């Protein structure tokens, strides 16, 4: 497989051959490194004062790839692990090679020309054979919002037999004025995303890779949900974790949480504000034994662990993989013994009674109820308010009235594809009051996020108190 990246450094007072400094690869000397199942080579077809082009050639041995444990047979095709497009098509193998070849350049470092590394320069990238599961239009949707001019042309199955139509590959050319580090990160993420496949197992460590490579651009990308899901092999809980972490790192909000004009200077994402608000409510309650039901990757749990007054913290989720991801995010195995003793992970469903959750000071359902099918809501209420019967319950959920303030959210759409419904303020108050009356609780309501005078806050919070402990 093959890729070129070139520049003429137009508008920069430097010879184009200085491009070699940015890539940390000498144009006068071809270089090679070993990669899984083969070798990656860098050389320069041209390196003059007017123009410089670096080429990456990835030479993959299918047999070596299988021996390395990275070749998988396609279903029903025993020889698929040997006979496939990996030696020829630019996908995850090439992305890994780029990360190894240009790691320093991808981090934006260049001691010889720091000024050049920090500024956008004219770049041209050519990927002759790129697997594109979704067609040429998908390449446009992914790269154009990043500032690239995209020319993605379908590759015919056989140029001599037009009737056979196009293959799943495109001949991709990108032109734009960007920092080299950003361009390399775009390629590193998009090559496997467009292929919608990886040659290795995707686990929680891939979340860290995507957060690092996507910092500064992915959180604001209109296709960030699709990019994250594809990069993480459609493991939704991992993709959700990436989006939340990027929102924190980049200081922007998730698509369903964006203010009309975006966050102002010094603002924090709604995801952060929501969990700090919930943590503040729990401190106000003086809760010492708390369960976070539907904990996901453990963002709220991490916030609550900072409070030394909390003696017991139970994190539950219906997904075992989500609990594994939460442990990894919180570095559970590396926590001091006293911290680990305070924290317990349980696989549990919010719609089934679980005696392990009975008698706590507080139970939190943060952005959980909207993921439950409406016919199952009575079961949720019964398991939490009757079976567990904590002294207090904190529930947060989106305010659907606020959705009109999200420019990127089409009218009538929910904020997240897994939401079963989204309540108005009146609908949430009605449900909450009915639950409180049925199970012997009182309820009060609070806003989360800046409150719009017309449509209210982006998130609504209900605080339930068991009547006999008021």
């Amino acid at each position: 497989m093959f890729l070129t990246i070139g520049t003429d450094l137009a508008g920069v007072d430097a010879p184009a051959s200085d491009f070699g400094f940015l890539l940390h690869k000498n144009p006068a000397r071809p270089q090679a490194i070993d990669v899984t199942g083969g070798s990656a080579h860098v050389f320069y077809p041209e390196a003059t004062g007017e123009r410089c082009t670096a080429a990456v050639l990835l030479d993959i041995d299918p047999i070596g790839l299988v021996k390395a444990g990275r070749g998988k047979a396609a279903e029903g095709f025993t020889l698929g692990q040997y006979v496939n497009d990996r030696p020829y098509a630019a996908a995850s193998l090439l992305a890994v090679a780029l990360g190894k070849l240009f790691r320093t350049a991808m981090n934006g470092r260049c001691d010889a020309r720091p000024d050049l590394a920090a500024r956008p320069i004219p770049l041209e990238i050519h990927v002759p054979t790129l697997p594109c599961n979704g067609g040429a239009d998908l390449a446009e949707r992914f790269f154009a919002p990043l500032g690239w001019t995209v020319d993605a042309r379908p590759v015919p199955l056989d140029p001599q037999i037009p009737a056979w139509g196009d293959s799943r590959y495109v001949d991709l050319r990108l032109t734009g004025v960007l920092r080299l580090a950003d361009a390399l990160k775009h390629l590193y993420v998009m090559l496997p995303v467009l292929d919608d496949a990886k040659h290795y197992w995707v686990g929680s460590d891939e979340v860290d890779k995507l957060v690092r490579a996507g910092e500064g651009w992915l959180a604001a990308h209109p296709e960030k949900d699709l990019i994250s899901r594809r990069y993480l092999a459609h493991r939704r809980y991992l993709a959700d974790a990436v989006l939340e972490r990027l929102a924190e790192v980049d200081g922007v909000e998730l698509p369903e949480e964006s203010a009309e004009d975006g966050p102002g200077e010094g603002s924090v994402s709604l995801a952060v504000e929501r969990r700090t608000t919930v943590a503040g409510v729990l401190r106000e309650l003086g809760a010492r034994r708390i369960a976070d039901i539907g904990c996901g990757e453990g963002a709220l749990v991490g916030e609550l662990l900072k409070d030394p007054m909390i003696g017991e913290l139970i994190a539950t989720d219906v997904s075992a993989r989500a609990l594994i991801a939460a442990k990894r995010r919180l570095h559970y195995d590396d926590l001091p013994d006293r911290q680990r003793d305070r924290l317990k992970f349980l696989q549990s469903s919010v719609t089934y009674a679980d005696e392990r959750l009975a008698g706590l000071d507080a139970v939190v359902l943060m952005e959980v109820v909207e993921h439950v099918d409406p016919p199952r809501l009575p079961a949720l209420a019964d398991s939490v308010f009757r079976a567990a019967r904590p002294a207090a319950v904190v529930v947060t959920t989106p305010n659907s009235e606020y959705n009109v303030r999200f420019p990127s959210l089409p009218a009538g759409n929910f904020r997240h594809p897994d939401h079963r419904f989204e309540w108005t303020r009146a609908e949430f108050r009605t449900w909450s009051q009915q639950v409180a009356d049925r199970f012997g609780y009182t309820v009060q309501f609070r806003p989360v996020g800046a409150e719009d005078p017309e449509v209210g806050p982006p998130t609504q919070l209900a605080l339930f108190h068991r009547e006999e402990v008021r």
Side-chain angles (χ1 to χ4, degrees):
M1 61 186 78
F2 188 73
L3 172 149
T4 62
I5 179 168
T7 183
D8 57 10
L9 291 186
V12 179
D13 186 19
S17 56
D18 277 5
F19 191 48
F21 287 115
L22 295 184
L23 291 171
H24 296 264
K25 297 292 182 288
N26 188 341
R29 183 169 60 88
Q31 298 179 52
I33 62 170
D34 292 330
V35 296
T36 301
S39 57
H41 306 260
V42 180
F43 57 93
Y44 289 77
E46 56 182 347
T48 67
E50 291 71 37
R51 181 163 183 81
C52 187
T53 299
V56 175
L57 174 65
L58 185 56
D59 186 12
I60 292 297
D61 173 14
I63 296 176
L65 195 62
V66 173
K67 288 181 177 179
R70 301 298 176 88
K72 295 182 180 179
E75 184 176 354
F77 182 28
T78 303
L79 293 179
Q81 57 188 331
Y82 298 104
V83 183
N84 52 56
D85 64 359
R86 286 181 180 161
Y88 317 105
S92 61
L93 286 164
L94 183 56
V96 171
L98 290 175
K100 291 183 176 180
L101 287 166
F102 303 128
R103 180 175 300 155
T104 305
M106 196 178 293
N107 289 331
R109 279 190 50 211
C110 181
D111 295 338
R113 293 298 310 270
D115 57 322
L116 204 55
R119 67 184 297 180
I121 61 174
L123 294 169
E124 296 180 14
I125 295 173
H126 183 206
V127 188
T129 310
L130 174 65
C132 195
N133 187 4
D137 290 344
L138 192 61
E140 175 82 21
R141 286 165 52 192
F142 283 171
F143 282 106
L146 299 173
W148 294 103
T149 299
V150 183
D151 181 4
R153 303 184 183 186
V155 176
L157 282 171
D158 190 329
Q160 305 303 317
I161 312 177
W164 284 6
D166 295 328
S167 68
R168 73 184 191 98
Y169 306 96
V170 299
D171 183 336
L172 178 69
R173 294 180 184 271
L174 304 173
T175 56
V177 181
L178 297 91
R179 287 196 320 137
L180 176 63
D182 295 331
L184 292 172
K185 289 178 180 178
H186 297 166
L187 288 172
Y188 179 80
V189 171
M190 296 303 189
L191 292 180
V193 164
L194 285 166
D195 186 24
D196 200 13
K198 283 193 173 182
H199 68 279
Y200 56 87
W201 170 254
V202 173
S204 297
D205 56 334
E206 293 296 292
V207 171
D208 295 329
K209 294 180 184 178
L210 184 54
V211 168
R212 287 194 299 268
E215 185 176 350
W217 62 271
L218 182 53
H221 197 292
E223 300 288 349
K224 56 182 163 290
D225 292 320
L226 181 58
I227 292 170
S228 300
R229 288 200 308 272
R230 283 187 166 214
Y231 188 90
L232 294 162
H234 298 274
R235 289 167 169 78
R236 185 178 62 82
Y237 74 97
L238 294 179
D240 289 347
V242 164
L243 294 175
E244 183 172 338
R245 288 177 59 183
L246 285 171
E248 296 176 30
V249 170
D250 292 344
V252 299
E253 299 176 353
L254 300 181
E256 65 270 22
E257 299 163 344
S258 302
E260 184 175 16
D261 298 321
E265 183 178 356
S267 66
V268 297
S269 75
L270 182 58
V272 175
E273 186 168 1
R274 183 169 51 231
R275 65 172 174 264
T276 55
T277 298
V278 170
V281 169
L282 294 170
R283 283 194 297 271
E284 175 187 320
L285 294 171
R288 298 293 179 261
R289 302 175 64 235
I290 301 168
D292 179 15
I293 296 180
C295 67
E297 207 195 55
L300 176 61
V301 174
E303 184 72 26
L304 297 178
L305 272 177
K306 300 174 185 177
D307 187 345
M309 300 304 293
I310 295 177
E312 182 181 359
L313 184 55
I314 302 174
T316 84
D317 203 283
V318 71
S319 168
R321 290 191 173 186
L323 295 175
I324 292 171
K327 286 185 176 181
R328 288 179 175 172
R329 173 174 180 161
L330 297 170
H331 303 286
Y332 177 76
D333 292 335
D334 299 325
L335 289 175
D337 291 342
R338 290 179 62 185
Q339 290 283 69
R340 282 204 308 274
D341 291 343
R342 298 167 61 207
L343 179 58
K344 182 186 299 183
F345 290 91
L346 300 177
Q347 187 174 8
S348 181
S349 171
V350 70
T351 57
Y352 291 93
D354 190 334
E355 62 182 13
R356 297 173 296 180
L357 303 178
L360 299 173
D361 295 332
V363 162
V364 178
L365 299 173
M366 190 175 76
E367 307 301 284
V368 170
V369 294
E370 65 272 12
H371 293 271
V372 176
D373 290 316
R376 298 294 295 160
L377 287 175
L380 176 151
D382 187 76
S383 69
V384 172
F385 291 89
R386 181 196 61 78
R389 198 160 182 76
V393 179
V394 181
V395 178
T396 74
T397 192
N399 169 22
S400 66
E401 297 168 78
Y402 197 89
N403 289 355
V404 296
R405 297 294 186 253
F406 304 141
S408 62
L409 185 65
N413 282 26
F414 291 151
R415 301 186 193 181
H416 191 284
D418 190 54
H419 285 184
R420 290 353 189 220
F421 61 87
E422 289 177 0
W423 277 324
T424 64
R425 286 170 290 174
E427 289 169 333
F428 182 48
R429 286 173 177 264
T430 297
W431 177 83
S432 299
Q433 193 61 62
Q434 289 174 347
V435 168
D437 292 344
R438 178 183 174 190
F439 294 102
Y441 284 77
T442 61
V443 61
Q444 57 183 252
F445 302 92
R446 302 184 183 185
V448 179
E451 193 160 11
D452 186 283
E454 296 180 4
V455 297
T459 295
Q460 43 193 342
L461 182 150
L463 172 57
F464 297 82
H465 291 274
R466 202 173 67 221
E467 288 185 337
E468 61 264 32
V469 297
R470 285 287 287 162

